[in-house]
Amino acid sequence: MLCDVKSLASELTFNERLRNDREVLGSVLRWAGVFSDGTVREMVERLLPLLQQGVPVQKACEGVAEAGVRVRGLLSCPPCEEKDAPGIWCLFGYEILRFADECFNPPERRMESSTGYNFRQWGSWLSPIVEYIKACGAQNRVTLDGLYKHLGAG
């Protein structure tokens, strides 16, 4: 997954160098260490068109596959909602927080892993986020505004 995070709906497009510079996209694919150099060049040519503006959602979701590996470009905009970016394949804040909430506050107890732990394990910059999500629990919906308020940023 090639993910490009944006903070405004008006900026929902891949980084210009990622969209237009074959060397940059190739270096990202080489860094992943999944493909040979020859395959990287081929993947760049197949992937570049999918990183352009106006690509249909279905085509963006499909990505390109080679040797059992699928590569997709995904935009992410935590403050945005689907209505802010119609027709764009994007990971919105609600889905990010819904997933985190499901992981930290599962509806049923997991037998193979615990969700009770010392918050300091997450480090000084992540522990406040984990604390907020855990504190919401089943009673309250996790929201970006709530998280910002908890962090003193909103």
Side-chain angles (χ1 to χ4, degrees):
M1 191 67 66
L2 295 172
C3 193
D4 198 347
V5 180
K6 304 297 179 176
S7 57
L8 299 171
S10 61
E11 297 174 351
L12 274 176
T13 186
F14 285 96
N15 176 294
E16 183 180 343
R17 298 227 22 231
L18 195 59
R19 278 192 332 256
N20 299 319
D21 189 328
R22 286 170 170 74
E23 289 301 316
V24 169
L25 183 55
S27 72
V28 170
L29 293 174
R30 273 189 290 286
W31 174 84
V34 178
F35 304 110
S36 67
D37 283 341
T39 303
V40 165
R41 285 188 292 278
E42 184 182 311
M43 290 293 285
V44 164
E45 295 307 316
R46 293 171 52 203
L47 194 55
L48 267 177
L50 301 181
L51 302 180
Q52 306 307 312
Q53 287 180 293
V55 172
V57 172
Q58 183 60 36
K59 201 167 179 75
C61 289
E62 289 173 10
V64 295
E66 183 68 39
V69 177
R70 183 171 307 280
V71 179
R72 300 174 182 149
L74 177 64
L75 292 164
S76 178
C77 190
C80 294
E81 297 177 20
E82 200 165 352
K83 67 178 176 56
D84 299 325
I88 296 176
W89 191 45
C90 184
L91 183 59
F92 300 105
Y94 170 78
E95 179 59 20
I96 296 167
L97 293 174
R98 184 210 58 78
F99 180 77
D101 185 40
E102 184 179 296
C103 291
F104 289 119
N105 300 307
E108 294 180 20
R109 185 176 172 167
R110 291 188 209 118
M111 300 311 287
E112 63 277 353
S113 66
S114 173
T115 57
Y117 33 71
N118 181 330
F119 288 119
R120 288 180 290 187
Q121 291 174 309
W122 291 94
S124 61
W125 64 281
L126 281 177
S127 63
I129 297 169
V130 175
E131 286 176 20
Y132 166 73
I133 295 169
K134 293 284 291 173
C136 283
Q139 292 76 29
N140 299 304
R141 185 169 160 240
V142 176
T143 66
L144 195 57
D145 287 340
L147 176 59
Y148 285 158
K149 185 176 179 183
H150 176 77
L151 297 174

